[in-house]
Amino acid sequence: MKKIMISTGGGDAPGLNAVIYAVVHACYRKGWEVYGSRSGYKGFLDRDEMCRLRTEDVEDIYATGGTILGSTNKGNPFEMPVENYAGEVKVVDISEKILDNFNRMGFDCHIAIGGDGSLEIAERFSRMGMPVIGIPKTIDNDLEATDRTFGFDTAVSTATEALDKLHSTAKSHDRVMVVEVMGRDSGWIALYSGISGGADVLLIPEIPFDMEKVCAKIMDNELHGKNYAIIVVAEGAVAAGGEVISKGGGEVGRSELLLGGVGEWVAKEVRERTGKDTRSLVLGHLQRGGSPTTFDRLLAMRFGAAAVRLVEKGTFGHMVALKSPHMGSVPLADAVKSRKKVNVNSDKVYTARDIGVCLGD
Ligand code: F6P
């Protein structure tokens, strides 16, 4: 008999519940017990924040968005802000306490479902001796060690559907619509949705953009009788020689930095330089919501089942990873080393260029 703890950390992504479903079912068939820790590591600190997960507790959840366990991107146990009675906030390291509780409660493994930040935390616990298995989650698809993360396909579908809808209103009003999508320092969501959603201009962090080139494309559209345009801009895209636009909260390159604002900045520049009626919108957290696509459900369930197989083999300190068509694993230490960027010399980028999409360069 084994006792497993699952946690979901960082920003949520469609497919989290499908992973939980698969882990609970795969463990049940082996006669193992599964517990969930609410909001990241809370269940490791407080029994009220820990719940037993039986098959009946996860019935049908695979089709739902969000996470039944809750999540947080402010729960790093190595740097936890704690307020004392005087209202002063101190940053403390509570990792030893968490490890101690985990061992005392008799857990055999912690399955940590997370993106870059949460997996870095899991890797630190693994180095301290906690048996950990990581599962890669993020709509940004920016983990180098796996071909895909679950959540990405759903986010891209949502963004593509939004672009489809924007075409008609942009055309009716002869407008330029600028759509800001998520993705942090990687342009995956922008690239996939921009090509599939018929964008005229596609701006990604991997290619610094020039507003002259962007505006030239819009004016070229006009010359050819197309009086509207759709611009897709990734939240981390940067003008050549410019800086990342953010709302603060952390350093550039860190997951705490709250990105946002580049879409409005591009819209303002287009308006001033071309005189075109221009509007911007931020798709934001819509991309993280909703029921996971079939692709994401299946990938999430494959990850969950593969994680349980790793527990059985005792391959701790690893993250499950898709290396198509195979499901494998990589050491957590390697998994958190680098972020996956769009290769600017790859087929999808060539496709965008070949079909006339301006990439701002
Ligand atoms: O990493 C996932 C992500 O959705 C990013 O694309 C985005 O920048 C960030 O999370 C937003 O996080 P928050 O939940 O703090 O708004």
Coordinates of all heavy atoms in Angstrom, one line a residue, residues 139-198:
I139 N -0.5 26.7 -19.7 CA -1.0 27.1 -21.0 C 0.1 27.6 -21.9 O -0.1 27.7 -23.1 CB -2.2 28.1 -20.9 CG1 -1.7 29.4 -20.4 CG2 -3.3 27.5 -20.1 CD1 -2.7 30.5 -20.6
D140 N 1.2 28.1 -21.3 CA 2.2 28.7 -22.1 C 3.1 27.8 -23.0 O 3.8 28.2 -23.8 CB 3.2 29.5 -21.2 CG 2.5 30.5 -20.3 OD1 1.4 31.0 -20.7 OD2 3.0 30.8 -19.2
N141 N 3.0 26.5 -22.6 CA 3.8 25.4 -23.4 C 5.3 25.7 -23.4 O 6.0 25.5 -24.4 CB 3.3 25.3 -24.8 CG 3.8 24.0 -25.5 OD1 3.8 23.0 -24.9 ND2 4.1 24.1 -26.8
D142 N 5.8 26.3 -22.3 CA 7.2 26.8 -22.4 C 8.2 26.0 -21.6 O 9.2 26.4 -21.1 CB 7.3 28.3 -21.9 CG 6.8 28.5 -20.5 OD1 6.2 27.5 -19.9 OD2 6.9 29.6 -19.9
L143 N 7.8 24.7 -21.4 CA 8.8 23.8 -20.7 C 9.6 23.0 -21.8 O 9.0 22.2 -22.5 CB 8.1 22.9 -19.7 CG 7.5 23.6 -18.5 CD1 6.8 22.6 -17.6 CD2 8.6 24.2 -17.7
E144 N 10.9 23.2 -21.8 CA 11.7 22.6 -22.8 C 11.7 21.0 -22.8 O 11.8 20.4 -23.9 CB 13.2 23.0 -22.5 CG 14.2 22.7 -23.6 CD 14.0 23.5 -24.9 OE1 14.3 24.7 -24.8 OE2 13.7 22.8 -25.9
A145 N 11.6 20.4 -21.6 CA 11.8 19.0 -21.5 C 10.6 18.2 -22.0 O 10.7 16.9 -22.1 CB 12.0 18.7 -20.0
T146 N 9.5 18.8 -22.4 CA 8.3 18.0 -22.9 C 7.8 18.7 -24.2 O 7.9 19.9 -24.3 CB 7.2 18.0 -21.8 OG1 6.1 17.2 -22.3 CG2 6.7 19.3 -21.4
D147 N 7.4 17.8 -25.1 CA 6.9 18.4 -26.4 C 5.7 19.3 -26.1 O 5.6 20.3 -26.8 CB 6.4 17.2 -27.3 CG 7.6 16.4 -27.9 OD1 8.7 16.8 -27.6 OD2 7.3 15.4 -28.5
R148 N 4.9 18.9 -25.2 CA 3.7 19.7 -24.9 C 3.4 19.7 -23.4 O 3.7 18.7 -22.7 CB 2.5 19.0 -25.6 CG 2.3 19.3 -27.0 CD 1.9 20.8 -27.3 NE 1.6 21.0 -28.7 CZ 0.4 21.0 -29.1 NH1 -0.7 20.8 -28.4 NH2 0.1 21.2 -30.4
T149 N 2.8 20.8 -23.0 CA 2.2 20.8 -21.6 C 0.7 20.8 -21.8 O 0.2 21.3 -22.8 CB 2.6 22.1 -20.9 OG1 2.3 23.2 -21.7 CG2 4.1 22.1 -20.6
F150 N -0.1 20.2 -20.9 CA -1.5 20.3 -21.1 C -2.0 21.7 -20.7 O -1.4 22.4 -19.9 CB -2.2 19.2 -20.3 CG -2.2 19.3 -18.8 CD1 -3.1 20.1 -18.1 CD2 -1.2 18.7 -18.0 CE1 -3.0 20.3 -16.8 CE2 -1.1 18.9 -16.7 CZ -2.0 19.7 -16.0
G151 N -3.1 22.1 -21.3 CA -3.7 23.4 -21.1 C -3.4 24.3 -22.3 O -4.2 25.1 -22.7
F152 N -2.3 24.0 -23.0 CA -1.9 24.8 -24.2 C -2.9 24.7 -25.3 O -3.4 25.7 -25.9 CB -0.5 24.4 -24.6 CG -0.1 25.0 -25.9 CD1 0.2 26.4 -26.0 CD2 0.1 24.2 -27.1 CE1 0.6 27.0 -27.2 CE2 0.5 24.8 -28.3 CZ 0.7 26.2 -28.3
D153 N -3.3 23.5 -25.6 CA -4.2 23.3 -26.8 C -5.6 24.0 -26.5 O -6.1 24.6 -27.4 CB -4.5 21.8 -26.9 CG -5.2 21.5 -28.2 OD1 -4.7 21.7 -29.3 OD2 -6.4 21.0 -28.1
T154 N -6.0 23.9 -25.3 CA -7.3 24.6 -24.9 C -7.2 26.1 -25.1 O -8.0 26.8 -25.6 CB -7.8 24.2 -23.5 OG1 -7.7 22.8 -23.4 CG2 -9.2 24.7 -23.2
A155 N -6.1 26.6 -24.6 CA -5.8 28.1 -24.6 C -5.7 28.5 -26.1 O -6.3 29.6 -26.4 CB -4.5 28.4 -23.9
V156 N -5.1 27.8 -26.9 CA -5.0 28.1 -28.3 C -6.3 28.1 -29.0 O -6.7 29.0 -29.8 CB -4.0 27.2 -29.0 CG1 -4.1 27.3 -30.5 CG2 -2.6 27.4 -28.6
S157 N -7.2 27.1 -28.6 CA -8.5 27.0 -29.2 C -9.3 28.2 -28.8 O -10.1 28.8 -29.6 CB -9.2 25.8 -28.8 OG -8.6 24.6 -29.2
T158 N -9.2 28.6 -27.6 CA -10.0 29.8 -27.1 C -9.5 31.0 -27.8 O -10.3 31.9 -28.3 CB -9.8 30.0 -25.5 OG1 -10.2 28.8 -24.9 CG2 -10.5 31.2 -25.0
A159 N -8.2 31.2 -28.0 CA -7.7 32.4 -28.6 C -8.1 32.4 -30.1 O -8.5 33.5 -30.7 CB -6.2 32.5 -28.5
T160 N -8.0 31.2 -30.7 CA -8.4 31.2 -32.2 C -9.9 31.5 -32.4 O -10.2 32.3 -33.3 CB -8.1 29.8 -32.7 OG1 -6.7 29.5 -32.5 CG2 -8.4 29.7 -34.2
E161 N -10.7 31.0 -31.5 CA -12.1 31.3 -31.6 C -12.4 32.8 -31.4 O -13.2 33.4 -32.1 CB -12.9 30.5 -30.5 CG -14.4 30.4 -30.7 CD -15.1 29.8 -29.5 OE1 -14.5 28.9 -28.8 OE2 -16.3 30.1 -29.4
A162 N -11.6 33.4 -30.5 CA -11.8 34.9 -30.3 C -11.4 35.6 -31.5 O -12.0 36.6 -32.0 CB -10.9 35.3 -29.1
L163 N -10.3 35.2 -32.2 CA -9.8 35.9 -33.4 C -10.9 35.7 -34.5 O -11.2 36.7 -35.2 CB -8.5 35.3 -33.9 CG -7.3 35.5 -33.0 CD1 -6.1 34.9 -33.5 CD2 -7.1 37.0 -32.8
D164 N -11.5 34.5 -34.6 CA -12.5 34.3 -35.6 C -13.6 35.3 -35.4 O -14.2 35.9 -36.4 CB -13.1 32.9 -35.5 CG -12.2 31.8 -36.0 OD1 -11.2 32.2 -36.6 OD2 -12.4 30.6 -35.7
K165 N -14.0 35.6 -34.2 CA -15.1 36.5 -33.9 C -14.7 37.9 -34.2 O -15.5 38.7 -34.6 CB -15.6 36.3 -32.4 CG -16.3 35.0 -32.2 CD -16.8 34.9 -30.8 CE -17.7 33.6 -30.8 NZ -17.9 33.2 -29.4
L166 N -13.4 38.2 -33.9 CA -13.0 39.6 -34.1 C -13.0 40.0 -35.6 O -13.1 41.2 -35.9 CB -11.6 39.8 -33.5 CG -11.7 39.9 -31.9 CD1 -10.3 39.9 -31.4 CD2 -12.4 41.2 -31.5
H167 N -12.8 39.1 -36.5 CA -12.7 39.4 -37.9 C -13.9 40.2 -38.4 O -13.8 41.2 -39.0 CB -12.5 38.1 -38.7 CG -11.1 37.7 -38.9 ND1 -10.3 38.2 -39.9 CD2 -10.3 36.9 -38.2 CE1 -9.1 37.7 -39.8 NE2 -9.1 36.9 -38.7
S168 N -15.1 39.7 -38.0 CA -16.3 40.3 -38.5 C -16.5 41.7 -38.0 O -16.9 42.6 -38.8 CB -17.5 39.4 -38.2 OG -17.7 39.2 -36.8
T169 N -16.2 41.9 -36.7 CA -16.4 43.3 -36.2 C -15.3 44.2 -36.8 O -15.6 45.4 -37.1 CB -16.5 43.3 -34.7 OG1 -16.6 44.7 -34.2 CG2 -15.4 42.6 -33.9
A170 N -14.1 43.7 -36.9 CA -13.0 44.6 -37.4 C -13.4 45.0 -38.9 O -13.2 46.1 -39.3 CB -11.7 43.8 -37.4
K171 N -13.9 44.0 -39.6 CA -14.3 44.3 -41.0 C -15.4 45.3 -41.1 O -15.4 46.2 -41.9 CB -14.6 42.9 -41.7 CG -14.7 43.0 -43.2 CD -14.9 41.6 -43.7 CE -15.0 41.6 -45.2 NZ -15.1 40.2 -45.8
S172 N -16.4 45.1 -40.3 CA -17.6 46.0 -40.3 C -17.2 47.4 -40.1 O -17.8 48.3 -40.6 CB -18.6 45.6 -39.3 OG -18.9 44.3 -39.3
H173 N -16.2 47.6 -39.2 CA -15.8 49.0 -38.8 C -14.5 49.5 -39.5 O -14.0 50.6 -39.1 CB -15.7 49.1 -37.3 CG -17.0 49.0 -36.6 ND1 -17.7 50.1 -36.2 CD2 -17.7 47.9 -36.2 CE1 -18.8 49.7 -35.6 NE2 -18.8 48.4 -35.5
D174 N -14.0 48.7 -40.4 CA -12.7 49.1 -41.0 C -11.7 49.4 -39.9 O -11.0 50.4 -40.0 CB -12.8 50.3 -41.9 CG -13.5 50.0 -43.2 OD1 -13.7 48.8 -43.5 OD2 -13.9 50.9 -44.0
R175 N -11.6 48.5 -39.0 CA -10.7 48.8 -37.8 C -9.5 47.9 -37.8 O -9.5 46.8 -38.3 CB -11.5 48.6 -36.5 CG -12.2 49.7 -36.1 CD -13.0 49.4 -34.8 NE -13.7 50.6 -34.4 CZ -14.8 50.6 -33.6 NH1 -15.2 49.4 -33.1 NH2 -15.4 51.7 -33.2
V176 N -8.5 48.3 -37.0 CA -7.4 47.5 -36.6 C -7.7 47.0 -35.2 O -8.0 47.8 -34.3 CB -6.1 48.2 -36.6 CG1 -4.9 47.3 -36.2 CG2 -5.8 48.7 -38.0
M177 N -7.7 45.7 -35.0 CA -8.0 45.1 -33.7 C -6.7 44.5 -33.2 O -6.1 43.6 -33.9 CB -9.0 44.0 -33.7 CG -10.4 44.4 -34.2 SD -11.3 45.6 -33.1 CE -11.3 44.7 -31.6
V178 N -6.2 44.9 -32.0 CA -5.0 44.3 -31.5 C -5.4 43.4 -30.3 O -6.1 43.8 -29.4 CB -4.0 45.4 -31.0 CG1 -2.7 44.8 -30.4 CG2 -3.8 46.5 -32.1
V179 N -5.0 42.1 -30.4 CA -5.3 41.2 -29.4 C -4.1 40.7 -28.6 O -3.2 40.2 -29.2 CB -6.0 39.9 -30.0 CG1 -6.5 39.0 -29.0 CG2 -7.1 40.3 -31.0
E180 N -4.1 41.0 -27.3 CA -2.9 40.5 -26.5 C -3.3 39.1 -25.9 O -4.3 38.9 -25.3 CB -2.7 41.5 -25.4 CG -1.5 41.2 -24.5 CD -1.3 42.3 -23.4 OE1 -1.2 43.5 -23.7 OE2 -1.3 41.9 -22.2
V181 N -2.4 38.2 -26.1 CA -2.5 36.8 -25.6 C -1.4 36.5 -24.6 O -0.4 37.2 -24.6 CB -2.6 35.8 -26.7 CG1 -3.8 36.0 -27.7 CG2 -1.3 35.7 -27.5
M182 N -1.7 35.5 -23.8 CA -0.7 35.1 -22.8 C 0.5 34.3 -23.4 O 0.6 34.1 -24.6 CB -1.4 34.3 -21.7 CG -2.2 35.1 -20.8 SD -2.9 34.0 -19.4 CE -3.5 35.3 -18.3
G183 N 1.4 33.9 -22.5 CA 2.5 33.1 -23.0 C 3.8 33.4 -22.4 O 4.9 32.8 -22.7
R184 N 3.8 34.5 -21.5 CA 5.1 35.0 -20.9 C 6.2 35.2 -21.9 O 5.9 35.9 -22.9 CB 5.5 34.0 -19.8 CG 4.4 33.9 -18.7 CD 5.0 33.6 -17.3 NE 5.7 34.7 -16.8 CZ 5.1 35.8 -16.2 NH1 3.8 35.9 -16.1 NH2 5.8 36.8 -15.7
D185 N 7.3 34.6 -21.7 CA 8.5 35.0 -22.6 C 8.5 34.1 -23.9 O 9.5 34.1 -24.6 CB 9.8 34.8 -21.9 CG 9.8 35.5 -20.6 OD1 9.2 36.6 -20.5 OD2 10.3 35.0 -19.6
S186 N 7.5 33.3 -24.1 CA 7.4 32.4 -25.3 C 6.2 32.8 -26.1 O 5.1 33.1 -25.6 CB 7.3 31.0 -24.8 OG 8.5 30.6 -24.1
G187 N 6.3 32.7 -27.4 CA 5.2 33.1 -28.3 C 4.4 32.0 -28.8 O 3.7 32.1 -29.8
W188 N 4.3 30.8 -28.1 CA 3.6 29.7 -28.6 C 2.1 30.0 -28.8 O 1.5 29.6 -29.9 CB 3.7 28.5 -27.7 CG 5.1 28.0 -27.6 CD1 6.0 28.2 -26.6 CD2 5.9 27.3 -28.6 NE1 7.2 27.7 -26.9 CE2 7.2 27.1 -28.1 CE3 5.6 26.9 -29.9 CZ2 8.2 26.5 -28.8 CZ3 6.6 26.2 -30.6 CH2 7.8 26.1 -30.1
I189 N 1.4 30.5 -27.8 CA 0.0 30.8 -28.0 C -0.3 31.7 -29.1 O -1.2 31.5 -30.0 CB -0.7 31.3 -26.7 CG1 -0.5 30.3 -25.5 CG2 -2.1 31.6 -26.9 CD1 -1.0 30.8 -24.2
A190 N 0.5 32.8 -29.2 CA 0.4 33.8 -30.2 C 0.6 33.2 -31.6 O -0.2 33.4 -32.6 CB 1.3 35.0 -30.0
L191 N 1.6 32.4 -31.7 CA 2.0 31.8 -33.0 C 0.9 30.8 -33.5 O 0.4 30.9 -34.7 CB 3.3 31.0 -32.9 CG 3.9 30.4 -34.2 CD1 4.3 31.5 -35.2 CD2 5.1 29.5 -33.9
Y192 N 0.5 29.9 -32.7 CA -0.5 28.9 -33.1 C -1.9 29.6 -33.4 O -2.5 29.3 -34.4 CB -0.7 27.8 -32.0 CG 0.3 26.7 -32.0 CD1 1.7 27.0 -32.0 CD2 -0.1 25.4 -32.0 CE1 2.6 26.0 -32.0 CE2 0.9 24.3 -32.0 CZ 2.2 24.6 -32.0 OH 3.1 23.6 -32.0
S193 N -2.3 30.5 -32.5 CA -3.6 31.0 -32.7 C -3.6 32.1 -33.8 O -4.5 32.2 -34.6 CB -4.2 31.7 -31.4 OG -3.3 32.7 -31.0
G194 N -2.5 32.8 -33.9 CA -2.4 33.8 -34.9 C -2.4 33.3 -36.3 O -3.1 33.8 -37.2
I195 N -1.7 32.2 -36.5 CA -1.7 31.6 -37.9 C -3.1 31.0 -38.1 O -3.8 31.3 -39.1 CB -0.7 30.4 -38.0 CG1 0.7 31.0 -37.9 CG2 -0.9 29.7 -39.3 CD1 1.8 30.0 -37.9
S196 N -3.6 30.2 -37.1 CA -4.9 29.5 -37.3 C -6.1 30.5 -37.4 O -7.1 30.2 -38.0 CB -5.2 28.6 -36.2 OG -4.1 27.8 -35.9
G197 N -5.9 31.7 -36.8 CA -7.0 32.7 -36.7 C -6.9 33.8 -37.7 O -7.5 34.8 -37.6
G198 N -6.0 33.6 -38.7 CA -5.9 34.5 -39.8 C -5.4 35.9 -39.5 O -5.9 36.9 -40.0

